[in-house]
Amino acid sequence: MPEQVIRTNPLSLSVAENSPFSFGVTYETANPVNNTLNGLTLRLHFDSEAIDFGAVENLESFDVFVTNPSENSENQSGVDDGDPNTDSYIVIGWISQNPVWPGDDQTYPVTLYNANFTTLDGFTGTTINFTSSDNPSEDGVVYELDAQSLTLNLAQAGITVDPTTGLTTTEAGGTDTFTVVLTSQPSANVTIPIASSDATEGTADVTELVFTPD
């Protein structure tokens, strides 16, 4: 089936709570390849309770850009991507009076734009979807939209320990010092177990470290 192919770059992201992130939206055609259709109206759907829309950058105009992106409500407009978790969308449209969009001189896949968002309080992950309001055609052949969703996952806090070697104590109750650092703000308690490399020598007074979010 002839297709207009939409993909994000990257295809998935891990993002911490209350953190900005961005991704590119790319375009090409397939089955058969045709880089001179008459345009595209593309909607990006998202959950406004999980992420906040910021702006669109590096918007490719191809000299036929017709729509400025802004946030719209699915409930008010009646637009639905079939995902009950999304409630908002932005729409960008391109159109050409002649079937020359986006043009033979492009290197495919073409980056249509870069989208900027920020995760909100309580973010645990979400999905961004794409739909189109119409499917262009050439010589009676309709090009359907083939759009892969972008998966957003909650980034887990990483841990660094310094030093990582030479940590020893004695049976007489000796002590040693090391530093444990989280590489990002945790969204829940992070527990680090502590144990002896030789259980026959006894147990540590402290069996775990717990990092609690502010």
Side-chain angles (χ1 to χ4, degrees), residues 183-213:
T183 58
S184 63
Q185 174 71 29
S187 58
N189 287 355
V190 176
T191 301
I192 304 173
I194 299 175
S196 171
S197 60
D198 186 352
T200 64
E201 296 294 331
T203 59
D205 292 335
V206 178
T207 58
E208 65 180 20
L209 298 176
V210 179
F211 291 81
T212 303

Side-chain angles (χ1 to χ4, degrees), residues 99-119:
V100 295
W101 185 85
D104 286 329
D105 59 341
Q106 303 293 330
T107 299
Y108 292 86
V110 173
T111 298
L112 298 178
Y113 60 86
N114 293 96
N116 297 301
F117 285 83
T118 301
T119 58

Side-chain angles (χ1 to χ4, degrees), residues 4 6 27 38-42 92-94 101 112 132 134 145:
Q4 287 189 302
I6 298 296
Y27 170 92
N38 56 8
L40 174 69
T41 301
L42 186 65
I92 306 175
W94 299 264
W101 185 85
L112 298 178
S132 178
D134 56 6
L145 184 71

Side-chain angles (χ1 to χ4, degrees), residues 15-197:
V15 190
E17 186 180 12
N18 295 314
S19 297
F21 66 95
S22 63
F23 56 90
V25 178
T26 67
Y27 170 92
E28 61 185 328
T29 59
N31 308 319
V33 174
N34 185 345
N35 298 326
T36 58
L37 295 175
N38 56 8
L40 174 69
T41 301
L42 186 65
R43 293 181 294 242
L44 179 155
H45 301 259
F46 64 98
D47 180 0
S48 64
E49 295 185 358
I51 58 177
D52 181 44
F53 171 61
V56 165
E57 295 179 332
N58 303 321
L59 185 62
E60 184 58 76
S61 69
F62 308 107
D63 298 324
V64 290
F65 172 66
V66 296
T67 308
N68 286 313
S70 60
E71 184 174 341
N72 302 273
S73 170
E74 290 183 353
N75 293 332
Q76 293 178 355
S77 65
V79 171
D80 184 12
D81 62 339
D83 186 340
N85 296 314
T86 62
D87 61 0
S88 301
Y89 71 96
I90 61 171
V91 59
I92 306 175
W94 299 264
I95 190 170
S96 176
Q97 298 301 318
N98 300 306
V100 295
W101 185 85
D104 286 329
D105 59 341
Q106 303 293 330
T107 299
Y108 292 86
V110 173
T111 298
L112 298 178
Y113 60 86
N114 293 96
N116 297 301
F117 285 83
T118 301
T119 58
L120 301 177
D121 287 335
F123 173 78
T124 59
T126 189
T127 300
I128 291 176
N129 305 315
F130 297 90
T131 64
S132 178
S133 62
D134 56 6
N135 295 317
S137 63
E138 183 183 40
D139 298 329
V141 177
V142 177
Y143 279 71
E144 302 289 342
L145 184 71
D146 175 8
Q148 182 171 330
S149 299
L150 170 63
T151 300
L152 299 174
N153 301 304
L154 176 64
Q156 301 298 320
I159 299 170
T160 61
V161 178
D162 184 39
T164 59
T165 60
L167 299 175
T168 61
T169 60
T170 67
E171 294 179 1
T175 62
D176 211 331
T177 302
F178 61 95
T179 301
V180 178
V181 179
L182 299 185
T183 58
S184 63
Q185 174 71 29
S187 58
N189 287 355
V190 176
T191 301
I192 304 173
I194 299 175
S196 171
S197 60

